[in-house]
Amino acid sequence: MACTMSFLRALLRTARMIRHAPQLSAGLPADDAVLLDAPDERLSPALVAAALGEYEPAAKLLATTRDAAEWENRDRYLGRLVTFARHRDSWLADWLAAAPHDPDALLVKAELAVRRAWESPARAEQLRDVAPLITAAAESDPRDPVPWRLALDHARGTHAPHAAFEALWEQAVRRSSHHYGCHVAALQYLSAAWYGSHRECFDFAEQAAEDSLPSSLVQALPVRAAFALLIAGPETQTTSVLEERIDRAADLAIALSATYEPGDPWPAEVRNLLAYVLVVRGRWDEALEQFRLIGPHATSFPWSLVSDDPLGQFLDARDGVRLQVASGMPLRYRADHGGSRGHYA
């Protein structure tokens, strides 16, 4: 009898997925409409020009963010320009030749050097060699917190002690007390994978989120702490207290996500991260809602940390969530009006 009941449950689960999965695709872009790390309308021209070997649009974009103190945009655009420069940097070489003391060119040069040093087997030694580049970028515009985010990443890679890291952190928050990138750098330093623990990571993230401004991405720090715990490996022991903190972090990130418009590219990375955490926690309906809010904006993080094919992993996760939600829906249902007209798939 037990075997028969298990077989029937499996049949019903399959029937529900077949019955409901198509209608749950509403609001989800087609697979071929989803783009990985799609640039916004401000960044696109700079990337296109860089591909042609022209640096002027990138220089103008970063200068605009610096003049307007758009530190979050500046950090984000910097990351995307450096990702491009890792493979094609002739435009950057021309920029530095034309304006060797330009604060924006120095920042791109420093970030690129740090990225390349991180990839070296002699990471700590290579990072120490690029320290003067970070200093030059920081001194070129003392208002800018982004070089200090670089300095925090650099300190983590060079095994800086807590006291040295705290000194850099003080300089970073003095320039921008709610800068998301600097907070992420500090969170990574405090993670169990580096120089802290899961509890330290959560403590920092939760306090920072509590102190943050409304709709600030800093409110997503706890869900980043949750992600760090979830990918730490099977040997990591999760207590009921840590699991409660993971779910509270997800709840806070859901509330943050709700303050932005569907399909908004700005919170896309946070929504991708939140979707991953919700999937791992088996919170299927909430995960499906985040995939709808994400729209076409898949991001490399977090999917690239769990797969060599981040876009494929995103699409697989989205399909899996849709099927999980469908399998939990009743096979027979009552129509919204017109009396009882329940039917089967």
Side-chain angles (χ1 to χ4, degrees):
M1 177 63 75
C3 182
T4 301
M5 292 304 296
S6 297
F7 178 63
L8 287 174
R9 281 194 292 269
L11 288 178
L12 287 171
R13 179 182 174 88
T14 301
R16 291 186 189 111
M17 288 192 288
I18 294 172
R19 169 69 179 85
H20 296 296
Q23 70 191 60
L24 291 173
S25 295
L28 297 175
D31 286 3
D32 58 6
V34 177
L35 301 175
L36 187 68
D37 300 325
D40 65 19
E41 67 279 0
R42 297 175 70 187
L43 178 60
S44 290
L47 291 175
V48 171
L52 298 173
E54 301 167 2
Y55 66 85
E56 290 85 358
K60 181 178 180 180
L61 175 63
L62 290 182
T64 299
T65 61
R66 179 164 49 85
D67 292 342
E70 296 178 24
W71 307 127
E72 302 288 6
N73 280 329
R74 180 174 178 78
D75 205 0
R76 182 173 296 197
Y77 293 148
L78 170 68
R80 295 299 306 279
L81 288 167
V82 168
T83 296
F84 183 83
R86 287 171 67 187
H87 305 287
R88 298 179 65 179
D89 62 357
S90 61
W91 60 278
L92 176 58
D94 290 344
W95 185 5
L96 287 164
H101 303 295
D102 185 314
D104 307 307
L106 290 174
L107 184 60
V108 177
K109 179 181 180 181
E111 170 86 354
L112 179 60
V114 168
R115 294 257 196 113
R116 287 174 171 167
W118 270 91
E119 297 169 356
S120 169
R123 176 192 296 165
E125 181 180 349
Q126 292 292 321
L127 282 171
R128 291 188 187 97
D129 290 343
V130 305
L133 300 181
I134 300 174
T135 300
E139 291 177 346
S140 67
D141 189 337
R143 303 172 306 141
D144 189 356
V146 181
W148 294 96
R149 191 267 301 158
L150 264 181
L152 292 170
D153 288 336
H154 178 270
R156 176 165 53 93
T158 54
H159 312 294
H162 278 65
F165 192 89
E166 288 171 6
L168 295 172
W169 171 250
E170 181 182 350
Q171 293 293 328
V173 296
R174 182 180 298 174
R175 287 159 175 80
S176 180
S177 58
H178 301 287
H179 187 263
Y180 180 61
C182 290
H183 279 78
V184 170
L187 190 74
Q188 290 173 317
Y189 184 90
L190 292 170
S191 70
W194 289 93
Y195 310 112
S197 67
H198 293 304
R199 285 181 174 79
E200 286 180 277
C201 200
F202 270 111
D203 288 345
F204 173 81
E206 289 167 354
Q207 187 61 59
E210 184 177 334
D211 295 341
S212 67
L213 298 173
S215 299
S216 168
L217 295 186
V218 173
Q219 292 181 27
L221 282 184
V223 87
R224 288 190 76 114
F227 174 75
L229 174 60
L230 291 172
I231 66 167
E235 67 281 358
T236 303
Q237 298 296 317
T238 57
T239 65
S240 59
V241 173
L242 283 175
E243 289 182 353
E244 288 175 6
R245 295 179 92 166
I246 291 172
D247 285 328
R248 283 203 307 271
D251 293 339
L252 181 60
I254 288 171
L256 173 64
S257 176
T259 65
Y260 293 93
E261 291 296 319
D264 187 340
W266 176 250
E269 184 179 272
V270 166
R271 283 172 168 163
N272 276 254
L273 175 62
L274 173 57
Y276 177 92
V277 171
L278 292 170
V279 167
V280 174
R281 296 297 291 162
R283 296 171 61 169
W284 309 117
D285 291 277
E286 293 162 306
L288 184 60
E289 176 60 18
Q290 291 307 311
F291 280 117
R292 289 198 176 102
L293 293 173
I294 289 167
H297 299 291
T299 58
S300 292
F301 178 80
W303 312 105
S304 63
L305 296 185
V306 296
S307 172
D308 292 332
D309 178 14
L311 180 57
Q313 186 69 31
F314 171 90
L315 295 174
D316 287 346
R318 193 179 68 162
D319 285 344
V321 166
R322 187 167 54 89
L323 293 176
Q324 287 286 350
V325 173
S327 70
M329 297 175 70
L331 185 57
R332 182 173 179 172
Y333 70 97
R334 184 179 298 275
D336 293 335
H337 55 79
S340 176
R341 299 191 322 210
H343 58 86
Y344 295 95

